[in-house]
Amino acid sequence: MMRPIHALLLLPLLAACAGRPPAPPAPQEPPGHAACRAEARNDPAVLALGRQDNPLNWGNRDRVQNDLRVAELRAFRDCLRRNGLAAPGGVEPLR
C-alpha cells in the first residue's frame, strides 16, 4: 500500500520525466552552402583521412576525427571562397 508521502515524493520525478521543450529550429543556410558542404565531404583529402579511421583504436579515432573536422572545414571554406560566398559566423568563426 502506498502512503500519501510516497506519492508526494514521486511527483518531482514525474515532473522531470515530462520532457523538455522542443529545440529551436536550426537557422536556414544561405544558398550555395549546402552544395559546398557536400563538396567538402567528398573532398579527396577528407576521404583519405576517413580511410585512416580505426574504430578499435581510441587514440587513432580521436586524432582522425579531429583531423577530419579540420580538413572538412578547410574544404568547405575553400569552396565558399571559390564561389564568392560569405563564410558563416560573424567576427569569430563558428566552431
Side-chain angles (χ1 to χ4, degrees), residues 32-59:
H33 282 221
C36 280
R37 285 199 194 283
E39 182 180 320
R41 280 191 293 272
N42 293 323
D43 186 66
V46 173
L47 294 175
L49 280 170
R51 286 191 286 274
Q52 293 178 18
D53 191 20
N54 180 0
L56 301 177
N57 183 337
W58 289 100

Side-chain angles (χ1 to χ4, degrees), residues 8 12 15 23 37 50 54 56 75 78-79 83 85 92:
L8 289 176
R37 285 199 194 283
N54 180 0
L56 301 177
D78 289 345
C79 175
N83 292 318
L85 298 170
E92 184 176 342

Side-chain angles (χ1 to χ4, degrees), residues 9-69:
L9 292 175
L10 288 176
L11 285 177
L13 288 174
L14 291 173
C17 295
R20 297 183 179 138
Q28 193 72 354
E29 272 192 329
H33 282 221
C36 280
R37 285 199 194 283
E39 182 180 320
R41 280 191 293 272
N42 293 323
D43 186 66
V46 173
L47 294 175
L49 280 170
R51 286 191 286 274
Q52 293 178 18
D53 191 20
N54 180 0
L56 301 177
N57 183 337
W58 289 100
N60 170 271
R61 186 166 185 92
D62 288 343
R63 180 190 59 82
V64 170
Q65 292 299 320
N66 186 45
D67 291 349
L68 270 171
R69 279 192 303 273

